[in-house]
Amino acid sequence: MKNGTQLIKIATTWLLIFMLALAAAIVTITVVNGREFGPEKTVAHYLQALRDGDGAKALGLLQAKLPDANAAALDGPALAKSQEALENVSVGEAVDAPEGRKRVSVNYTIAGTALASDFTLEPGPRQWLFFDSWTMVPTTLPSIHASVVNANQASINGVDANMPDGHNSFAVFYPGNYELEYRSPLFAAPPVTRNVTSAAQPVPAVGLSTGPTSDLLAQVDGVVRKYLDTCAKQAVLMPTGCPMSADTANRVASPIKWSIVEYPTITISPFGGQWIMAPLTVKAQVGFQEQDLFTGLLQDFKHAENFDFTAKLAINGSNVSVTPVLSY
């Protein structure tokens, strides 16, 4: 009888140990499920893939379809750069969504503006029999439509991309910050940024307004100034091939001297797929000594006047030529 009592005590003790171990295992599985296999962890892995510039991994986690758009920003440096402006990033706790799904919000700031991106996840297959898995509900990546004036190339987050006929669309991940611009030695468009927060919200189109660089303006200005300085060296009332002219009813009794008072302001604008120069105005002064034909008196003559002319601009690669055009 005594041995039977001892066996019952031993069995009870082992049963208690088993129950405690089972309870501990259940608690452990629950904790690990929440921390390592919950929907928040899937979103965190996705965000890390974006920061790493790993487009293949990010696309696999997001389970997104690719739109008919340029893929320059979907991998590598352009993708990693899309995350640099995101600050104070935090992944919120999952909340219930319809059809047994979960919704996870990611909060962040860009340039001080608070933004958020929501992700919907659904249960996936169990891992190792006990652990949950969560997959993002498939969607289609958003895209940024862009155009550029008088150019067939642009860049998105520093990566060059073709712009056929000045237009293209770029597929992008979210959340992300994307900067588009065009830059060449002669022409450039100021950068335009777009913050992309979701696949559902349309992204405003980007129009890149191309204009001449300071280097091009300086180059054209130098050509025009040299042309006018050459004109000013002609000691005649009407310099050949030049916009300036002067006349007098008296006799010119000294060498004629031209000087440029104000050089033209150079303005270059797009028109009809070409680059044109706005009409030019030069202020020039002529000076000489004249003799009155009736009295024979000598007197100094000086006169400053504005003269208008135009110029044709021809660009071939990095070569620029300027051809003055006179109206007479």
Side-chain angles (χ1 to χ4, degrees):
M1 190 71 179
K2 184 177 180 181
N3 290 337
T5 302
Q6 288 178 341
L7 289 173
I8 292 173
K9 288 182 178 179
I10 293 172
T12 302
T13 300
W14 278 108
L15 179 60
L16 179 60
I17 292 173
F18 174 76
M19 294 297 292
L20 291 173
L22 180 60
I26 293 173
V27 171
T28 300
I29 291 173
T30 301
V31 171
V32 171
N33 251 336
R35 291 182 178 178
E36 301 300 329
F37 296 93
E40 301 93 341
K41 203 66 177 181
T42 301
V43 174
H45 288 319
Y46 167 70
L47 295 177
Q48 187 60 54
L50 298 183
R51 288 190 288 268
D52 293 340
D54 190 342
K57 183 177 181 180
L59 192 63
L61 289 168
L62 192 61
Q63 298 197 102
K65 297 179 181 179
L66 293 174
D68 183 16
N70 188 287
L74 293 184
D75 196 44
L79 176 57
K81 188 175 178 62
S82 74
Q83 303 301 298
E84 292 179 0
L86 276 66
E87 299 179 332
N88 308 310
V89 180
S90 64
V91 179
E93 292 186 4
V95 297
D96 292 335
E99 302 178 7
R101 295 171 172 176
K102 296 286 186 180
R103 187 176 71 253
V104 177
S105 294
V106 177
N107 297 290
Y108 50 94
T109 60
I110 296 180
T113 300
L115 299 169
S117 296
D118 292 336
F119 298 89
T120 302
L121 299 95
E122 56 190 4
R126 289 271 183 173
Q127 299 185 29
W128 300 299
L129 299 179
F130 298 107
F131 300 110
D132 296 334
S133 70
W134 291 87
T135 60
M136 294 183 179
V137 175
T139 184
T140 300
L141 287 181
S143 58
I144 301 175
H145 303 284
S147 62
V148 60
V149 174
N150 279 10
N152 56 13
Q153 193 175 52
S155 68
I156 179 167
N157 281 3
V159 175
D160 291 337
N162 291 328
M163 299 284 287
D165 298 323
H167 297 270
N168 211 340
S169 294
F170 298 92
V172 293
F173 283 104
Y174 62 94
N177 172 264
Y178 298 90
E179 181 181 87
L180 293 94
E181 68 173 333
Y182 171 71
R183 185 165 296 279
S184 73
L186 301 181
F187 298 97
V192 176
T193 60
R194 290 289 183 265
N195 298 327
V196 182
T197 60
S198 73
Q201 183 176 358
V203 183
V206 171
L208 297 176
S209 301
T210 312
T213 63
S214 57
D215 288 343
L216 174 59
L217 291 174
Q219 186 173 342
V220 173
D221 183 69
V223 173
V224 172
R225 285 174 177 252
K226 183 177 180 180
Y227 159 70
L228 293 173
D229 288 343
T230 301
C231 287
K233 292 179 180 179
Q234 297 187 43
V236 293
L237 290 176
M238 298 184 64
T240 303
C242 300
M244 303 101 76
S245 65
D247 59 12
T248 178
N250 298 315
R251 175 176 171 272
V252 177
S254 70
I256 297 170
K257 182 175 178 58
W258 284 97
S259 61
I260 306 300
V261 179
E262 292 180 9
Y263 289 94
T265 298
I266 306 300
T267 302
I268 300 173
S269 306
F271 180 79
Q274 303 293 324
W275 294 99
I276 62 171
M277 293 179 60
L280 303 168
T281 300
V282 58
K283 187 173 185 178
Q285 178 178 277
V286 64
F288 54 86
Q289 192 176 61
E290 63 178 359
Q291 185 177 38
D292 190 291
L293 295 178
F294 297 100
T295 65
L297 294 177
L298 295 173
Q299 60 180 3
D300 292 331
F301 176 88
K302 282 188 178 181
H303 175 69
E305 186 178 341
N306 290 333
F307 300 95
D308 298 328
F309 66 106
T310 60
K312 289 183 178 179
L313 184 66
I315 298 174
N316 183 12
S318 58
N319 297 319
V320 179
S321 64
V322 180
T323 305
V325 178
L326 305 178
S327 58
Y328 60 86

